[in-house]
């Protein structure tokens, strides 16, 4: 029997050498030490031997079993590593490869329009300011000449937190923050997101504005400067349009105006989009109210401010009639821009 066991040992050795998959290894394990395995059978045969042989054979069988387990484990590790390497090889991705088949994104349409707006003002020597999205009552309202219980606060449906904190309803609080931290002359734009409780074809609870603020010593900044730059800006964005200033009201500017361009859909003839007026309102502006300067401790200064909605610009430029399609991340829609 010992001779047979030696033979089995050699056999195992050879089999292990020729194995190159986990499946073959598992089959071998079953063949050798499984319930009906060869080695298991020898252990079973022990009971028919007499005491002297039994001890010797049992010892030999145990050594072989240990050896097999060790060799099995070694082989399992080698095959496991090979399997992992093969998988890594198969799934290798060269991230530095240039894929000319996929279209390259030019960015979200809202950001494309925002970039264009910002480009204009940067070229006109404005610098860029930003402010917090969570504002306090002072910066969003009070300092902008909107005291508590002022009816004009209702113009903007506000999201409130506790302790007079709120989501800013416009970018105008950046006017206040800029004046609090900068000295004259001030020539800034403040692009950013703003929030209002509104949701329909032309309103979204989050949208983007670009604020503009120019302040210098008294007498140096006038409505004429404001009018010039906005006309030039609107023609840069919309092309050959007519621009008109219409007297309006904002608590933080006096005088105030809303600015219209001739309708980009009907070129002023009158259509559904412009409510048959031939004009589209595109921004609000005015000469900075003296109460605003008072709130930040400025004296003997003059300035103008304006604010516009980026989504509105994008809708007009791209002839989109449902604002919400910009925010539903449907690539079929976004890829058209
Ligand atoms: N903050 C105003 C709004 O959100 C726009 C505006 C800004 C008007 C600056 C005048 C001056 O409607």
């Amino acid at each position: 029997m010992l001779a047979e066991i030696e033979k089995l040992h050699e056999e195992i050795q050879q089999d292990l050498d020729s194995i190159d998959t986990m499946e073959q290894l598992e089959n071998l394990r079953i063949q050798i030490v499984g319930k009906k395995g060869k080695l298991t059978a020898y252990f079973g045969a022990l009971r028919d031997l007499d005491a002297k042989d039994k001890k010797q054979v049992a010892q030999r069988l145990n050594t072989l079993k240990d050896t097999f387990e060790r060799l099995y484990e070694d082989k399992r590790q080698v095959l496991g590593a090979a399997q992992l390497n093969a998988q890594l090889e198969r799934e290798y991705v060269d991230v530095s490869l240039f894929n000319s088949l996929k279209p390259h994104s030019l960015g979200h349409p809202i950001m494309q329009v925002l970039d264009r707006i910002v480009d204009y003002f940067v070229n006109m020597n404005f610098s860029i300011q930003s402010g917090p999205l969570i504002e306090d009552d002072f910066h969003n309202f009070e300092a902008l000449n909107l005291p508590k219980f002022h009816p004009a606060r209702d113009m903007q449906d506000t999201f409130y937190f506790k302790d007079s904190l709120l989501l800013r309803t416009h970018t105008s609080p950046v006017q206040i923050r800029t004046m609090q931290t900068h000295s004259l002359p001030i020539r800034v734009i403040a692009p950013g997101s703003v929030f209002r409780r509104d949701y329909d074809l032309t309103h979204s609870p989050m949208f983007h504005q670009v604020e503009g603020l120019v302040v210098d010593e008294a007498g140096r900044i006038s409505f004429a400067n404001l009018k010039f730059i906005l006309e030039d800006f609107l023609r840069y964005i919309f092309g050959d349009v007519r621009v008109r200033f219409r007297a309006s009201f904002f608590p933080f500017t006096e005088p105030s105006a809303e600015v219209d361009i001739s309708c980009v859909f009907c070129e002023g003839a009158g259509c559904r989009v412009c409510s048959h007026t031939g004009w589209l309102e595109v921004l609000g502006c005015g000469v900075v109210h003296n109460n605003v300067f008072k709130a930040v401790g400025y004296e003997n200064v003059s300035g103008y401010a304006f604010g516009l909605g980026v989504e509105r610009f994008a809708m007009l430029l791209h002839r989109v009639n449902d604002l919400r399609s910009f925010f539903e991340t449907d690539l079929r829609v976004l890829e058209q821009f």
Side-chain angles (χ1 to χ4, degrees):
M1 196 188 258
L2 280 173
E4 279 172 40
I5 296 172
E6 286 317 319
K7 242 188 92 193
L8 179 60
H9 190 158
E10 273 169 36
E11 220 177 281
I12 290 175
Q13 198 74 263
Q14 279 164 12
D15 285 349
L16 274 170
D17 285 346
S18 67
I19 274 174
D20 43 31
T21 71
M22 281 288 191
E23 210 185 340
Q24 291 170 342
L25 183 63
E26 176 59 10
N27 284 339
L28 181 67
R29 190 189 63 79
I30 294 169
Q31 262 178 49
I32 306 299
V33 293
K35 262 197 187 130
K36 292 181 183 157
K38 290 179 188 165
L39 200 53
T40 316
Y42 282 117
F43 275 108
L46 278 176
R47 71 177 161 252
D48 301 327
L49 299 177
D50 53 38
K52 190 179 120 266
D53 290 343
K54 193 187 270 180
K55 190 172 172 223
Q56 207 188 0
V57 174
Q59 260 176 11
R60 183 65 194 95
L61 283 176
N62 279 327
T63 343
L64 180 55
K65 190 165 180 241
D66 288 349
T67 311
F68 176 74
E69 276 165 4
R70 210 187 58 242
L71 291 172
Y72 168 85
E73 189 51 34
D74 288 352
K75 190 74 186 183
R76 206 178 61 83
Q77 298 221 351
V78 170
L79 289 177
Q83 207 172 49
L84 181 63
N85 281 336
Q87 189 187 352
L88 290 176
E89 190 85 17
R90 220 175 26 250
E91 295 173 3
Y92 175 73
V93 175
D94 184 351
V95 292
S96 69
L97 266 187
F98 182 76
N99 183 351
S100 57
L101 297 177
K102 284 246 176 74
H104 286 259
S105 172
L106 297 170
H108 191 279
I110 298 296
M111 290 301 134
Q112 288 176 33
V113 172
L114 178 61
D115 282 351
R116 205 168 146 71
I117 295 170
V118 169
D119 274 353
Y120 174 84
F121 288 105
V122 167
N123 281 324
M124 284 303 208
N125 207 23
F126 282 67
S127 57
I128 299 172
Q129 286 292 313
S130 61
L133 305 187
I134 298 176
E135 263 298 1
D136 51 42
D137 190 273
F138 177 78
H139 290 90
N140 197 80
F141 291 128
E142 196 93 30
L144 288 163
N145 197 28
L146 272 146
K148 294 202 175 54
F149 309 115
H150 192 291
R153 285 199 182 198
D154 296 342
M155 283 162 75
Q156 304 174 354
D157 269 321
T158 311
F159 289 108
Y160 284 101
F161 299 104
K162 290 187 298 208
D163 307 324
S164 296
L165 290 179
L166 46 86
L167 287 176
R168 67 178 184 190
T169 57
H170 50 180
T171 40
S172 301
V174 186
Q175 288 188 33
I176 305 300
R177 292 187 179 276
T178 304
M179 289 190 279
Q180 284 174 327
T181 53
H182 290 67
S183 51
L184 300 187
I186 285 171
R187 192 174 174 86
V188 296
I189 52 164
S193 31
V194 301
F195 307 84
R196 291 183 198 177
R197 301 177 46 166
D198 243 338
Y199 188 56
D200 61 31
L201 277 182
T202 54
H203 296 88
S204 145
M206 186 283 299
F207 60 103
H208 299 83
Q209 285 190 334
V210 177
E211 191 81 9
L213 176 70
V214 172
V215 184
D216 208 339
E217 287 158 25
R220 296 196 67 166
I221 307 292
S222 74
F223 201 97
N225 303 133
L226 172 66
K227 191 159 184 283
F228 167 79
I229 199 150
L230 288 182
E231 278 176 3
D232 190 49
F233 162 65
L234 289 171
R235 294 212 180 91
Y236 172 81
I237 297 289
F238 291 105
D240 190 18
V241 288
R242 275 165 292 138
V243 178
R244 97 178 164 181
F245 285 67
R246 194 164 29 78
S248 185
F249 171 80
F250 297 102
F252 29 91
T253 46
E254 180 59 35
S256 303
E258 277 172 321
V259 182
D260 300 338
I261 56 170
S262 49
C263 181
V264 294
F265 294 90
C266 63
E267 284 168 7
C271 66
R272 204 177 43 81
V273 183
C274 59
S275 307
H276 303 283
T277 61
W279 296 96
L280 297 166
E281 181 198 322
V282 290
L283 55 80
C285 64
V287 169
V288 180
H289 197 292
N290 209 42
N291 286 352
V292 175
F293 288 139
K294 268 194 201 147
V296 293
Y298 274 23
E299 273 173 28
N300 299 321
V301 298
S302 57
Y304 67 71
F306 59 86
L308 62 89
V310 181
E311 279 74 4
R312 176 146 178 81
F313 273 52
M315 288 176 80
L316 296 176
L317 281 171
H318 293 303
R319 312 273 197 273
V320 169
N321 50 27
D322 187 346
L323 166 73
R324 290 170 291 199
S325 51
F326 284 134
F327 297 112
E328 290 158 0
T329 51
D330 186 337
L331 284 181
R332 288 167 305 178
V333 174
L334 297 179
E335 271 167 5
Q336 297 175 53
F337 301 103

